[in-house]
Amino acid sequence: MPSTYRAILIFFVTTLISASSLTLAQAPSHPLDALKSQEYWVVYDVLRDSGKMDPDTFYASVLLHEPAKGKVLAWRPGDAVFREAEIILLRKGIAIEALVDIPAHKLEFWKERKDIQAPVLEMEFHALEEVIKKDPRVIEALKKRGITDLTHVECFAGPFGYFALPELEGRRIFYGGCNDTHGEFLGWGRSIEGLNIEIDAVEKKVLKVIDDGPTPVPTASINFEEVESGPREGATPIGLSQPLGPAFKISNGEVNWQSWNFRFRLDPRIGAVINLARFNDGHQLRSVLYEGSLSELFVPYMDPAEGWATRVFIDTGEFYHGGVLKPLRENIDCPTTATYFGTLVPDEHGAPGIRPRVACMFESYSGDPSWRHFEKHELWGSPARTLVLRTAAVIGNYDYVLDWRFERDGSIHVAVGATGIIETKSVKAKDASATGGHGMPGSPDEFGHFVAENTIGVNHDHFFSYRLDVDVDGVNNSFMAGRLVKRALTKPASRKSIWVVEPFIAKTEKDAMIDIHLEKPAMWHFINPNTKGPLGYPTGYELMPGVTAASLLDPEDGPQKVGAFSAHQLWVTPYRQDERFAAGIYPTDSKGADDGLAIWSKANRPIENTDIVAWYTLGFHHAPRAEDWPVMPVMWHEFVLRPFDFFPKNPMLDLPSTP
Amino acid sequence: MPSTYRAILIFFVTTLISASSLTLAQAPSHPLDALKSQEYWVVYDVLRDSGKMDPDTFYASVLLHEPAKGKVLAWRPGDAVFREAEIILLRKGIAIEALVDIPAHKLEFWKERKDIQAPVLEMEFHALEEVIKKDPRVIEALKKRGITDLTHVECFAGPFGYFALPELEGRRIFYGGCNDTHGEFLGWGRSIEGLNIEIDAVEKKVLKVIDDGPTPVPTASINFEEVESGPREGATPIGLSQPLGPAFKISNGEVNWQSWNFRFRLDPRIGAVINLARFNDGHQLRSVLYEGSLSELFVPYMDPAEGWATRVFIDTGEFYHGGVLKPLRENIDCPTTATYFGTLVPDEHGAPGIRPRVACMFESYSGDPSWRHFEKHELWGSPARTLVLRTAAVIGNYDYVLDWRFERDGSIHVAVGATGIIETKSVKAKDASATGGHGMPGSPDEFGHFVAENTIGVNHDHFFSYRLDVDVDGVNNSFMAGRLVKRALTKPASRKSIWVVEPFIAKTEKDAMIDIHLEKPAMWHFINPNTKGPLGYPTGYELMPGVTAASLLDPEDGPQKVGAFSAHQLWVTPYRQDERFAAGIYPTDSKGADDGLAIWSKANRPIENTDIVAWYTLGFHHAPRAEDWPVMPVMWHEFVLRPFDFFPKNPMLDLPSTP
């Protein structure tokens, strides 16, 4: 780095506001704060002192139990902060639900649940790997493959994201396999194919070793930091500069930036949770979003082979032990000007561990205008800038960069950048040249695509459910579809057709289950029928879908029953305090019959002029390409919440004309 | 601006490469260069000396006549540069087509065309405004409305973007109306409604004044620079910093940046034209895109009223006299680090005029990663940066920010940012409170939406046709749809369904007319069947659609026949030198029966393993909202061309890990 550039960078860095202590303050200042360190310890003490714990009982999950919305909205600074934690424990395969009132140091609820499976504990992964690697059948199977040095063999077993087989009933059975990392720094791409292991996660016992016969482990180059001699020449340094520091302020957990006010917490299960997003219209703080967060993530693979058909991940609901968010790295994930935030996650004994730098906040400026008009030799306009709250969820191989982007026009862009490493299958064929192209039945790439020699990137989907508790100008809202409908004209002679907007107010949940069709376009409005703007329209926000996908799976397919939210791009439900996870609280080995968006919605509850919640499905099919290997370029998808008659005019007219 | 910030900015600016002379060099250095100043003068001299010109003959268009692709690809630096100009003249309402060989100073072609209409000349607008304002019937109609001071009344007449009425046959008839700018700095939003004028643009004579009765001109506040007292406080300065200057180089008109090489010209009709985009894979420059540009823009309005039904604009083909591109302003349209480019446009006498700063090029960095993976407590990755070539097309009220964004992963993102001022209709009703909401038949907002008092933003569409002459690794390519098809499974027991990719090679044009359906997803591949990558697949690029729209108009509707490209999101045609404009060369008063994408494609020509051209329709419906007034926030839409098995692996692994 040239010294001039470094000097400037240092200058920028020293002007940063340090706000990394936000989430780690000792006492909660607001009912929606993330659980504090001392609160985790209260939970621990209450459960210990209850006499119900024993050395075989482990913590699978400790989450803030969100208070009912009414209580939060009635709360004022200075009031007592009501705090509850919801806990999932795992004892010898049995899940236990508990609820602790933290200020009262009181165990409010305790229930053993034999009908569900707790999410996976990190300790289970480690323990099961040891068991697998010591099993004589596994050792024999590896030997058949010429692998006798097990030092660098990594084995993994995880649960099904759906109820697949009768033998799972009431048991905690995991399925897994192994990779050979010999010669590599990561084992992805080095699967020991055809070796499938069924294991009892409670008994810590391998039940079955299904060996479909050896397939050599690929040897194609995968160490992504080493495959090129780089760094490539020719790039001069580039950065964002904010000599006077960022323009956002954080006070008592509340972010204030350019008319936007909101809170956020970093939840171990669902990551960043935005709360109480309000926009100052110059006169008052007006409510837009009571809460917004990722709710679930459904990733089914599309290969019917043994060991692959069961690769269906309900990522946030199954694999969040240790926290779904992983650290961000400055200059790679966020610019130099970013401020970072840490969070706490409980370990298997309930003790909070610190996870520094799992979120960053920065103002982004990419050189674009926010509005402009040229006429009469003059140009009017102003440059755009954005406030980004970024986290990264890492679930094994995949990395998801998760953004909440606040814009000065009152819109919120929610973006997902998918990167990381695709899951691959080892095959005997070196490449596609013998079979002439993908998709041919019986060819090695029938269910995926060669991304390296002997390596198939397997087809799969990603479906994110975002839960958006919109409260436009208050709690009671309605969902209105603005349907664009073709109308035939008989006059004037110059035209035969136009389209008009036909508003449709959804009465019940079924009215608002929406699939996107280009030939039947509709705008999705969340309006407050009780608050009219100056032109006589209800104030509202529009949810604008981005590029997305619908699930192609059979509705009766096990995975699809659990990830049923992927059947529609939009759902609207009445607010319920306990309806937070689109695939249910316990997706592991789930039959999809008891909990989740598709189940709740069956009641077809009224949603008009009441407190409603929108659920947006952001999805994409992924048929891999060579360029996705050995690590994927970021692929972004997004959707937008934008004001629609919320303001009486463009709210950006008072922005400065310089960035 | 604080002095420290200013000092840093000045430092950045002085390190910029000045390349603004690019398009204005005296002699062309390449067959695809924009026409040079001296070339316009050769055209002028050749036509003058032909003896065919007279004082009534005006220049409506002078464009580079692109050489056949084969000639360009065979051309080498040092060879003679073949140059032709295609000219449209307008003489007393008659269009004349001409072709001039510039180096030979030779008139190659001259033809009077009575069957088509030339595009509008800027001088016509001025002349017709004078005629309208002097017409006694207009003066009387204005008087009836209380408008007697015509000093600040602006009148406008333009042609139909389609053949609307028999009386247009063989005549140059324009339709128009007036605005009252009294008290304002722009007349948009001040339409004098109900006053519709039919005018003979050749005779310069008002034919009809159709007065549907007065509607008061709205008085709501519209001076967007004055409606707020701003600038809003609280924003600290932000900018892009490149202390060592940008990393792109331009030499002999060729841009070189981070493995990308391409040329561009700024065309008066279609704006930026990208040529010969090639990617250096470390061994050789490999062809991706021979040419990419906007081809046409279709904007039909959705109000059947007199004077509104005929508002259908074929924007680039009708209104490009004077050049479709308008100036960019630094710090609003492009960051401080940008380099600007000018171009030349001919006036009505054929003389080239200079248009400075109509394009900018800059590297963008918004703090995002280009790829990343976290595992084993480590984070690998690199930050993203983008090369942006930006222009802005301004067609009356609308501003379109048009980007070509080159990425280091080999992808090209083509983006359209719509901003500027929506077209509004004056109505007697003050607002929607009497009729309770839009869409009700007979209500004042039946065909639009109140955006201010007495002001309706009228519903309309925008359809952009992008012409993408893909040449992946050579001229002969095929189009392959990778169809994702559900497959029922009988085993294993754990699954009932998956999807597989079924490749479909398009044989003829009809095979490749594609509409987007979420339930029938397909990947759009442009492959070179003659070049296999190392894994046995043909090398290729994928066109990934963004959010887009399909036209809802009746296929038999006049506007839809001309903007027929909007019927499908993708078309693929065989390369033809003369097939460049999706709505035909002459969309004005067109019947849509002779020229344009839908007409050419009727022949259903073979497109397999030959030189093919992709046409992507980027569209959106616009039902306005209050926030779109008095000037719209930028709304971005984009699509992506990305490598798919073009590289053997992720091409970004050698990027530095700092921005």
Side-chain angles (χ1 to χ4, degrees):
Chain A
M1 187 186 288
S3 62
T4 46
Y5 185 56
R6 191 184 295 131
I8 292 167
L9 275 187
I10 289 166
F11 171 68
F12 295 160
V13 171
T14 53
T15 61
L16 288 182
I17 292 165
S18 170
S20 62
S21 60
L22 169 72
T23 55
L24 303 176
Q26 286 291 308
S29 60
H30 190 279
L32 294 171
D33 278 354
L35 290 175
K36 305 291 181 182
S37 177
Q38 288 311 314
E39 297 185 304
Y40 280 103
W41 285 111
V42 169
V43 169
Y44 179 85
D45 291 346
V46 168
L47 290 185
R48 183 198 56 197
D49 297 345
S50 72
K52 293 171 179 289
M53 299 293 284
D54 65 28
D56 289 324
T57 310
F58 297 96
Y59 284 77
S61 173
V62 181
L63 301 178
L64 173 73
H65 181 69
E66 271 197 28
K69 188 194 286 192
K71 281 182 76 176
V72 174
L73 293 178
W75 182 88
R76 292 289 172 272
D79 292 354
V81 182
F82 28 86
R83 304 284 284 174
E84 290 175 319
E86 53 189 47
I87 302 109
I88 304 170
L89 303 166
L90 180 60
R91 178 192 289 166
K92 293 185 179 171
I94 306 299
I96 299 165
E97 292 175 323
L99 191 69
V100 169
D101 180 327
I102 297 169
H105 287 240
K106 188 181 156 201
L107 178 59
E108 297 185 296
F109 182 84
W110 177 280
K111 188 179 182 185
E112 291 199 8
R113 293 278 306 263
K114 294 191 180 164
D115 55 328
I116 51 94
Q117 284 295 335
V120 194
L121 274 73
E122 287 193 313
M123 59 183 276
E124 290 185 287
F125 290 135
H126 302 303
L128 297 181
E129 177 171 24
E130 286 307 298
V131 172
I132 292 170
K133 286 176 69 175
K134 283 181 183 152
D135 187 89
R137 290 160 292 180
V138 172
I139 292 168
E140 181 60 31
L142 291 173
K143 196 173 165 189
K144 252 206 294 189
R145 287 161 171 81
I147 304 169
T148 51
D149 176 5
L150 269 58
T151 319
H152 301 102
V153 170
E154 291 181 345
C155 298
F156 168 91
F160 291 171
Y162 61 104
F163 185 85
L165 303 162
E167 66 208 70
L168 300 175
E169 192 83 55
R171 300 172 75 188
R172 192 167 177 85
I173 292 174
F174 287 13
Y175 248 66
C178 302
N179 293 326
D180 186 1
T181 71
H182 184 273
E184 306 303 331
F185 56 68
L186 294 178
W188 305 107
R190 294 291 187 254
S191 77
I192 298 169
E193 208 60 47
L195 174 60
N196 300 299
I197 297 146
E198 192 181 320
I199 189 163
D200 187 312
V202 180
E203 303 294 330
K204 306 272 183 295
K205 213 171 99 179
V206 173
L207 301 177
K208 279 190 213 162
V209 175
I210 306 143
D211 190 347
D212 290 340
T215 297
V217 176
T219 57
S221 171
I222 57 172
N223 277 353
F224 40 77
E225 284 284 345
E226 293 182 348
V227 294
E228 296 282 357
S229 55
R232 190 189 299 181
E233 284 191 9
T236 53
I238 191 166
L240 286 167
S241 80
Q242 290 197 281
L244 303 183
F248 61 87
K249 291 192 171 45
I250 303 180
S251 159
N252 291 325
E254 185 161 304
V255 181
N256 183 303
W257 177 81
Q258 295 278 306
S259 308
W260 276 110
N261 279 60
F262 64 93
R263 309 185 63 82
F264 71 93
R265 75 170 196 271
L266 303 169
D267 183 88
R269 176 166 175 157
I270 50 176
V273 180
I274 306 294
N275 276 115
L276 295 163
R278 292 165 295 166
F279 198 95
N280 188 333
D281 70 357
H283 306 288
Q284 53 178 330
L285 273 180
R286 292 171 59 195
S287 169
V288 173
L289 191 67
Y290 175 77
E291 184 165 290
S293 73
L294 180 62
S295 161
E296 194 46 272
L297 169 50
F298 170 48
V299 185
Y301 281 75
M302 300 295 159
D303 187 324
E306 184 78 53
W308 276 96
T310 49
R311 292 203 203 189
V312 170
F313 303 108
I314 311 286
D315 273 332
T316 76
E318 287 189 278
F319 297 105
Y320 67 97
H321 192 251
V324 71
L325 301 183
K326 296 290 184 289
L328 300 169
R329 178 74 53 95
E330 74 174 359
N331 282 328
I332 292 177
D333 290 312
C334 315
T336 318
T337 49
T339 300
Y340 291 82
F341 306 93
T343 192
L344 297 167
V345 292
D347 68 11
E348 67 269 26
H349 302 295
I354 188 162
R355 294 287 179 279
R357 302 169 82 81
V358 293
C360 74
M361 184 176 286
F362 61 95
E363 287 183 273
S364 180
Y365 168 72
S366 52
D368 300 338
S370 68
W371 65 271
R372 59 103 72 191
H373 182 60
F374 178 86
E375 193 162 337
K376 299 187 176 175
H377 312 293
E378 289 298 335
L379 188 285
W380 296 269
S382 73
R385 69 199 292 173
T386 306
L387 183 72
V388 181
L389 173 65
R390 174 166 296 164
T391 57
V394 181
I395 301 126
N397 52 316
Y398 262 109
D399 298 50
Y400 303 105
V401 183
L402 302 168
D403 279 8
W404 288 82
R405 302 177 185 163
F406 293 83
E407 302 286 349
R408 297 192 293 186
D409 66 359
S411 66
I412 303 174
H413 293 235
V414 182
V416 174
T419 177
I421 303 176
I422 55 172
E423 282 212 49
T424 58
K425 180 178 178 176
S426 307
V427 292
K428 286 173 187 156
K430 192 174 145 197
D431 56 43
S433 48
T435 46
H438 57 93
M440 298 305 140
S443 66
D445 54 356
E446 183 175 4
F447 306 111
H449 199 76
F450 279 101
V451 294
E453 291 185 359
N454 307 105
T455 308
I456 295 286
V458 177
N459 296 334
H460 57 281
D461 291 328
H462 302 256
F463 292 105
F464 299 77
S465 176
Y466 272 93
R467 181 179 179 277
L468 304 164
D469 184 348
V470 287
D471 275 7
V472 178
D473 275 329
V475 165
N476 286 349
N477 288 180
S478 291
F479 171 71
M480 179 178 81
R483 294 170 174 168
L484 276 60
V485 178
K486 179 181 161 184
R487 186 182 291 180
L489 295 179
T490 50
K491 60 170 189 170
S494 60
R495 287 288 284 276
K496 288 190 167 55
S497 60
I498 56 169
W499 55 258
V500 295
V501 179
E502 293 185 353
F504 170 78
I505 306 271
K507 305 275 182 217
T508 64
E509 291 176 287
K510 281 198 180 125
D511 289 343
M513 290 174 194
I514 297 202
D515 305 330
I516 296 170
H517 295 287
L518 289 197
E519 65 274 32
K520 289 184 182 175
M523 296 183 290
W524 303 345
H525 297 284
F526 295 88
I527 59 169
N528 188 324
N530 317 300
T531 310
K532 294 273 195 289
L535 297 171
Y537 297 117
T539 59
Y541 258 70
E542 181 186 7
L543 201 172
M544 304 184 82
V547 169
T548 189
S551 179
L552 300 177
L553 295 183
D554 193 302
E556 289 306 307
D557 209 346
Q560 186 61 30
K561 284 192 205 168
V562 181
F565 66 82
S566 60
H568 302 297
Q569 285 84 57
L570 180 70
W571 308 66
V572 182
T573 62
Y575 167 83
R576 295 288 181 268
Q577 188 185 356
D578 56 344
E579 293 182 1
R580 299 180 45 76
F581 306 121
I585 300 173
Y586 303 101
T588 301
D589 284 349
S590 168
K591 293 174 184 169
D594 307 313
D595 196 9
L597 194 45
I599 300 298
W600 316 323
S601 297
K602 278 190 183 164
N604 200 22
R605 299 165 292 188
I607 55 170
E608 188 179 357
N609 200 4
T610 185
D611 190 2
I612 55 176
V613 176
W615 307 74
Y616 176 70
T617 307
L618 183 160
F620 50 99
H621 307 294
H622 189 181
R625 57 181 177 150
E627 288 84 353
D628 290 334
W629 193 250
V631 61
M632 277 192 303
V634 174
M635 161 87 79
W636 286 101
H637 287 80
E638 70 165 35
F639 66 93
V640 178
L641 266 175
R642 66 165 197 171
F644 199 106
D645 296 337
F646 186 78
F647 302 108
K649 59 177 181 295
N650 183 338
M652 295 192 295
L653 300 180
D654 63 346
L655 293 183
S657 59
T658 50
Chain B
M1 186 185 287
S3 61
T4 46
Y5 186 56
R6 190 186 294 129
I8 292 168
L9 275 186
I10 290 166
F11 172 67
F12 296 160
V13 171
T14 53
T15 61
L16 288 180
I17 293 165
S18 170
S20 62
S21 60
L22 169 72
T23 56
L24 304 175
Q26 286 291 308
S29 62
H30 190 279
L32 294 172
D33 277 355
L35 290 175
K36 305 291 181 183
S37 178
Q38 287 311 312
E39 296 185 304
Y40 279 104
W41 285 110
V42 168
V43 168
Y44 179 86
D45 292 347
V46 167
L47 289 185
R48 182 197 57 198
D49 297 346
S50 72
K52 293 170 179 291
M53 298 294 282
D54 65 27
D56 289 325
T57 310
F58 297 96
Y59 285 76
S61 173
V62 181
L63 301 177
L64 172 73
H65 182 69
E66 271 199 28
K69 188 193 283 192
K71 280 181 76 176
V72 175
L73 293 179
W75 182 89
R76 292 289 172 274
D79 293 354
V81 182
F82 29 86
R83 302 284 284 175
E84 290 176 320
E86 52 189 46
I87 301 107
I88 304 170
L89 302 166
L90 180 60
R91 176 190 289 165
K92 294 184 177 173
I94 306 299
I96 300 165
E97 292 175 322
L99 191 70
V100 169
D101 179 328
I102 297 169
H105 288 240
K106 189 182 156 200
L107 178 60
E108 296 184 295
F109 181 83
W110 177 278
K111 188 178 182 186
E112 290 198 6
R113 293 279 304 266
K114 293 191 180 164
D115 55 329
I116 51 93
Q117 284 294 337
V120 194
L121 275 72
E122 288 192 313
M123 58 182 278
E124 291 186 287
F125 289 133
H126 302 304
L128 297 181
E129 177 170 25
E130 286 307 299
V131 172
I132 292 170
K133 285 176 69 175
K134 283 181 183 152
D135 187 88
R137 291 161 291 181
V138 172
I139 291 168
E140 180 59 29
L142 291 172
K143 197 174 164 189
K144 250 203 298 187
R145 288 162 169 80
I147 303 168
T148 51
D149 175 6
L150 270 59
T151 319
H152 301 102
V153 169
E154 291 181 347
C155 298
F156 168 90
F160 292 171
Y162 62 104
F163 185 85
L165 304 162
E167 66 208 72
L168 300 175
E169 192 84 57
R171 300 173 73 189
R172 191 166 177 86
I173 291 175
F174 287 13
Y175 247 67
C178 303
N179 294 327
D180 186 1
T181 72
H182 183 273
E184 305 302 330
F185 56 67
L186 294 177
W188 305 107
R190 293 293 186 251
S191 79
I192 299 168
E193 209 60 47
L195 174 59
N196 299 298
I197 297 146
E198 191 180 322
I199 190 163
D200 187 312
V202 179
E203 302 294 333
K204 307 272 183 293
K205 215 171 98 179
V206 173
L207 301 177
K208 279 190 211 161
V209 175
I210 305 143
D211 190 346
D212 289 340
T215 296
V217 175
T219 57
S221 170
I222 57 172
N223 276 355
F224 40 77
E225 284 284 348
E226 292 181 350
V227 293
E228 296 282 358
S229 56
R232 189 189 300 182
E233 284 190 10
T236 52
I238 191 167
L240 286 167
S241 80
Q242 290 197 280
L244 302 183
F248 62 85
K249 291 191 171 47
I250 302 179
S251 160
N252 291 323
E254 185 161 305
V255 181
N256 184 302
W257 177 81
Q258 295 279 305
S259 308
W260 275 111
N261 278 59
F262 64 93
R263 309 184 64 83
F264 71 93
R265 75 170 196 270
L266 302 169
D267 184 87
R269 176 166 176 158
I270 50 175
V273 180
I274 306 294
N275 277 115
L276 294 164
R278 291 165 296 166
F279 198 96
N280 188 333
D281 70 357
H283 305 287
Q284 53 178 330
L285 273 180
R286 292 171 59 195
S287 170
V288 173
L289 191 67
Y290 175 76
E291 185 165 290
S293 73
L294 181 61
S295 162
E296 194 47 272
L297 170 49
F298 170 48
V299 185
Y301 280 75
M302 299 294 160
D303 187 324
E306 183 80 50
W308 276 97
T310 49
R311 291 202 204 189
V312 170
F313 304 107
I314 312 286
D315 273 332
T316 75
E318 287 190 278
F319 298 104
Y320 66 96
H321 191 251
V324 71
L325 301 184
K326 296 291 183 289
L328 300 170
R329 178 74 53 93
E330 74 174 358
N331 281 330
I332 291 177
D333 290 313
C334 316
T336 318
T337 48
T339 299
Y340 291 83
F341 306 92
T343 192
L344 298 167
V345 292
D347 67 12
E348 68 268 25
H349 302 295
I354 188 163
R355 294 287 179 277
R357 302 169 81 81
V358 294
C360 74
M361 184 176 286
F362 61 95
E363 288 183 272
S364 180
Y365 168 71
S366 51
D368 299 338
S370 67
W371 64 271
R372 61 103 69 192
H373 182 58
F374 178 86
E375 193 162 337
K376 298 187 176 175
H377 313 292
E378 289 297 334
L379 188 284
W380 296 268
S382 73
R385 68 199 291 173
T386 305
L387 182 72
V388 180
L389 173 65
R390 174 167 295 166
T391 58
V394 181
I395 301 124
N397 52 316
Y398 263 110
D399 298 50
Y400 303 104
V401 183
L402 303 168
D403 279 8
W404 289 83
R405 302 176 184 164
F406 293 84
E407 302 286 348
R408 298 194 290 186
D409 65 359
S411 66
I412 302 174
H413 293 234
V414 182
V416 173
T419 178
I421 303 176
I422 55 171
E423 281 212 49
T424 58
K425 179 179 180 177
S426 307
V427 292
K428 286 172 189 159
K430 193 175 143 197
D431 56 43
S433 48
T435 46
H438 57 93
M440 298 305 138
S443 67
D445 54 356
E446 184 176 5
F447 307 111
H449 199 76
F450 280 100
V451 295
E453 290 184 0
N454 306 105
T455 309
I456 294 286
V458 178
N459 296 334
H460 57 281
D461 291 327
H462 301 257
F463 292 106
F464 299 77
S465 176
Y466 272 92
R467 181 178 179 277
L468 305 164
D469 185 347
V470 286
D471 277 6
V472 178
D473 274 330
V475 165
N476 286 348
N477 288 180
S478 292
F479 171 71
M480 179 178 82
R483 295 171 174 167
L484 275 59
V485 178
K486 179 181 160 183
R487 185 184 291 180
L489 295 180
T490 49
K491 60 170 191 174
S494 59
R495 286 289 283 276
K496 288 189 165 55
S497 60
I498 56 170
W499 55 258
V500 294
V501 179
E502 293 185 353
F504 170 79
I505 306 274
K507 305 277 183 215
T508 65
E509 289 174 289
K510 281 197 181 130
D511 289 343
M513 289 173 194
I514 297 201
D515 305 330
I516 295 171
H517 295 287
L518 288 199
E519 63 274 32
K520 289 183 183 176
M523 297 182 289
W524 302 345
H525 296 284
F526 295 88
I527 59 170
N528 188 324
N530 317 298
T531 310
K532 294 275 195 288
L535 297 171
Y537 297 117
T539 60
Y541 258 69
E542 180 185 7
L543 201 171
M544 304 184 83
V547 169
T548 189
S551 179
L552 299 177
L553 295 183
D554 192 303
E556 289 307 307
D557 210 346
Q560 187 59 31
K561 284 192 205 167
V562 180
F565 67 81
S566 61
H568 302 297
Q569 285 83 57
L570 180 71
W571 308 65
V572 181
T573 63
Y575 167 83
R576 296 287 181 269
Q577 187 183 355
D578 57 344
E579 292 181 2
R580 300 180 43 77
F581 306 121
I585 300 174
Y586 302 102
T588 301
D589 285 348
S590 168
K591 294 176 184 167
D594 307 314
D595 196 9
L597 194 45
I599 301 298
W600 315 324
S601 297
K602 277 189 181 163
N604 199 22
R605 298 164 293 186
I607 54 170
E608 189 179 357
N609 200 5
T610 185
D611 191 359
I612 55 176
V613 176
W615 306 74
Y616 176 70
T617 307
L618 183 160
F620 50 98
H621 307 293
H622 190 181
R625 55 179 179 154
E627 289 83 353
D628 290 334
W629 193 251
V631 62
M632 278 191 301
V634 174
M635 160 88 79
W636 287 100
H637 287 79
E638 69 164 36
F639 66 93
V640 178
L641 265 175
R642 67 165 196 170
F644 199 107
D645 296 337
F646 186 78
F647 301 108
K649 60 177 180 296
N650 182 339
M652 296 193 293
L653 300 180
D654 62 346
L655 294 183
S657 59
T658 50

